[in-house]
Amino acid sequence: MKTPLILASLATATAMIFALPAFAADSAQDFVDKATAGGMFEVDSSKIAEGTAHDQAVKDFAHKMIDDHGAANAKLETIAGEQKLTIPKELDAKHKADLDTLKTAKDDVDKPYVQMQRDAHSEAVTLFESYAKDGDNAQLKTFATETLPTLKMHKDMIEKIAVTGDAAPTTSSTTPAVTTTGTTNPAAPVPGANSFTEEQAKTRIQDAGFTDVSALTKDDKGIWRGQATKDGKNTMVALDYQGNVVAGAN
């Protein structure tokens, strides 16, 4: 019978579709849409961070993003015009929400900006790698290939800032969540509007050395709380909006 063979083929095709990277582009226009939205967000968010961040390394990074992504955006717009493709004029809903989070941050923009940049560059590298390999437009494939090393460099830079800079999350419940001068900051976890998704929260907690992260819920103070394992022991764990991961927090 041919039916089982057909069903098996359909199952294989479906599996291949779902195996594609979440941020891959399936057409030239799709790539332009996603790359433009990401590039615009890089510039707009970095303009906010350059003016309001506390950590000089974050400010310097933001300035570089404005220069590098500004140039890449202009190049992409030129290529898209030549290829008769449409350039989006506004950010998508997700990037608009992230930008609003930075605009309304009252005290410390460093940590949310750094985390957004980590996420954005991870997505951008995936998008550009995929299109450079399998894209359907020669000029855009060349653009993706030529831009990819810069994106990877940005990704490495922001990861180092996240780990070593003032914007790095703390893992001690007695360390102030924000480094400032002449003020007393509350111990982490710090209440505040939390822009981390559940998956991002889980990843941040795992990055801090925890495993078996489960039962994550965001409380009315904007703090993600759940259970995890570290050093072979089960413990309660919390993640605040600044990225601070605290073990044993109630």
Side-chain angles (χ1 to χ4, degrees), residues 115 118-119 194-218 223-229 237-240 243-245:
Q115 182 56 37
R118 293 177 75 187
D119 295 339
N194 196 319
S195 62
F196 292 119
T197 64
E198 181 177 350
E199 188 61 32
Q200 289 170 340
K202 183 177 181 179
T203 299
R204 290 304 293 269
I205 293 170
Q206 290 173 333
D207 288 346
F210 294 85
T211 59
D212 300 325
V213 181
S214 63
L216 282 175
T217 57
K218 185 161 59 175
I223 298 171
W224 282 101
R225 299 182 184 275
Q227 296 179 331
T229 301
V237 66
L239 171 77
D240 65 22
N244 300 299
V245 178

Side-chain angles (χ1 to χ4, degrees), residues 44-88:
D44 292 347
S45 63
S46 294
K47 286 180 179 179
I48 295 173
E50 186 182 31
T52 59
H54 299 303
D55 186 351
Q56 188 59 47
V58 175
K59 286 178 173 287
D60 292 342
F61 178 85
H63 182 77
K64 184 169 182 59
M65 294 308 98
I66 295 170
D67 288 346
D68 289 359
H69 283 278
N73 293 349
K75 187 173 182 179
L76 177 58
E77 184 172 0
T78 297
I79 296 173
E82 293 172 350
Q83 300 298 306
K84 309 301 182 184
L85 298 168
T86 303
I87 288 285

Side-chain angles (χ1 to χ4, degrees), residues 170-174 187-189 210 235-240 244-249:
T170 66
T171 56
S172 169
S173 61
T174 59
F210 294 85
T235 181
M236 299 295 294
V237 66
L239 171 77
D240 65 22
N244 300 299
V245 178
V246 183

Side-chain angles (χ1 to χ4, degrees), residues 5-194:
L5 181 60
I6 294 173
L7 291 176
S9 299
L10 288 173
T12 301
T14 301
M16 291 176 63
I17 291 172
F18 282 103
L20 291 173
F23 298 100
D26 55 18
S27 68
Q29 184 62 64
D30 189 35
F31 174 76
V32 169
D33 289 345
K34 291 177 178 177
T36 299
M40 286 175 20
F41 174 74
E42 292 291 345
V43 173
D44 292 347
S45 63
S46 294
K47 286 180 179 179
I48 295 173
E50 186 182 31
T52 59
H54 299 303
D55 186 351
Q56 188 59 47
V58 175
K59 286 178 173 287
D60 292 342
F61 178 85
H63 182 77
K64 184 169 182 59
M65 294 308 98
I66 295 170
D67 288 346
D68 289 359
H69 283 278
N73 293 349
K75 187 173 182 179
L76 177 58
E77 184 172 0
T78 297
I79 296 173
E82 293 172 350
Q83 300 298 306
K84 309 301 182 184
L85 298 168
T86 303
I87 288 285
K89 300 302 181 183
E90 295 183 351
L91 291 174
D92 54 53
K94 176 185 180 299
H95 286 112
K96 282 183 179 179
D98 285 344
L99 204 62
D100 287 342
T101 297
L102 294 179
K103 289 178 180 178
T104 57
K106 295 180 180 180
D107 299 317
D108 180 23
V109 75
D110 297 56
K111 288 183 175 65
Y113 172 74
V114 167
Q115 182 56 37
M116 288 176 190
Q117 289 297 318
R118 293 177 75 187
D119 295 339
H121 279 91
S122 178
E123 294 170 7
V125 167
T126 298
L127 173 66
F128 277 66
E129 277 183 337
S130 174
Y131 200 82
K133 180 182 178 182
D134 301 317
D136 59 351
N137 181 286
Q139 282 190 266
L140 288 174
K141 283 185 69 174
T142 299
F143 169 75
T145 300
E146 293 176 347
T147 307
L148 187 56
T150 300
L151 294 174
K152 289 183 175 180
M153 177 187 67
H154 293 168
K155 186 174 184 293
D156 289 342
M157 289 174 64
I158 197 61
E159 290 298 334
K160 289 178 181 177
I161 291 174
V163 172
T164 63
D166 289 343
T170 66
T171 56
S172 169
S173 61
T174 59
T175 303
V178 183
T179 301
T180 57
T181 302
T183 60
T184 300
N185 296 306
V190 182
N194 196 319

